[in-house]
Amino acid sequence: ADFSMIIFGAKLKLKEKTSGRLADMLSMLYLASSVIKQFHDDARPQEDWPLVQWSYEHLLFKCEDAMVELINNMPMRWTRVLLTSILLPSGRHRKQPSDRLGAQAAKILTTNNTARERLGMGIYWQQEPANLLAELEASFQLIIGCSALERKLSKAVKAGVLNNLTVLEQIDEAEKKGILNTVEVKQLR
């Protein structure tokens, strides 16, 4: 930021992309420190570790990405060379989180567990028309409740008992063939 101020002076205000990249870097570092602080404040629960690791890796990658974009868009070649030699002397260091880590984090976020409950603490969950988060949570709970039924339907399709139609047609056919009862059909619909 100081180097950008030296190069651009008062014109930095007019360089929206440059100031935006500086703001992105600051935001990513702030969010990464917030993730670590929250993990510390929650007494470091091990079940949260994949979320912390994914967030930390993703945020630092985005920060480095903004830094590279900032360097690449400096107006003079010598400024790009100098900043690269100071900030990234051996090249980029950060990578996006692995797919394996992403799958672990997604599993935590898409199942009912204590980590998910901790993340939702302080959120207003009261069911009322204007509360979209409560509606989203209710939908999530309905989806979780249907996962076993969806597996049942999928097995029937793979076994060739049901035709590979649209999901609604599969549900109707499963009801006719006795694979699903009326309550299950209503729940899936």
Side-chain angles (χ1 to χ4, degrees):
D2 289 340
F3 191 80
S4 295
M5 196 64 195
I6 291 168
I7 296 299
F8 296 113
K11 292 181 182 176
L12 182 60
K13 290 180 187 176
L14 302 174
K15 300 285 186 183
E16 293 176 8
K17 289 272 197 175
T18 301
S19 59
R21 289 181 181 114
L22 290 167
D24 288 347
M25 291 167 57
L26 179 63
S27 299
M28 297 306 154
L29 292 172
Y30 179 76
L31 288 171
S33 66
S34 296
V35 166
I36 293 168
K37 180 169 182 354
Q38 185 64 45
F39 181 64
H40 179 268
D41 289 352
D42 286 344
R44 301 183 185 125
Q46 281 305 292
E47 62 267 23
D48 288 5
W49 183 244
L51 296 172
V52 172
Q53 188 177 0
W54 188 93
S55 299
Y56 183 77
E57 288 178 16
H58 176 74
L59 290 167
L60 290 184
F61 173 81
K62 288 298 198 183
C63 179
E64 187 175 82
D65 217 20
M67 184 189 313
V68 168
E69 288 297 316
L70 178 72
I71 292 169
N72 289 341
N73 286 287
M74 280 290 165
M76 295 163 277
R77 185 177 187 283
W78 71 267
T79 58
R80 293 189 297 271
V81 171
L82 180 63
L83 281 176
T84 301
S85 65
I86 293 170
L87 300 173
L88 300 167
S90 58
R92 292 191 67 157
H93 300 283
R94 302 292 173 187
K95 298 178 294 194
Q96 280 281 30
S98 70
D99 290 346
R100 191 176 130 267
L101 182 60
Q104 289 174 346
K107 186 174 182 178
I108 292 169
L109 296 173
T110 58
T111 56
N112 283 324
N113 55 54
T114 56
R116 194 169 180 285
E117 287 173 21
R118 240 187 333 281
L119 286 172
M121 282 181 12
I123 295 176
Y124 182 64
W125 295 116
Q126 187 64 38
Q127 281 287 344
E128 54 187 51
N131 191 350
L132 297 178
L133 282 176
E135 286 183 41
L136 189 63
E137 178 64 17
S139 299
F140 173 75
Q141 295 303 329
L142 288 172
I143 290 169
I144 287 178
C146 288
S147 60
L149 297 176
E150 288 174 339
R151 282 193 300 277
K152 192 177 187 181
L153 200 61
S154 180
K155 283 181 184 178
V157 170
K158 287 180 183 175
V161 177
L162 296 176
N163 293 323
N164 212 359
L165 310 165
T166 66
V167 176
L168 290 175
E169 291 169 337
Q170 288 173 356
I171 293 169
D172 291 338
E173 192 175 342
E175 183 179 26
K176 288 175 190 169
K177 292 186 176 182
I179 297 170
L180 297 173
N181 63 38
T182 311
V183 175
E184 293 171 330
V185 167
K186 185 179 179 187
Q187 188 178 357
L188 273 173
R189 283 198 178 135

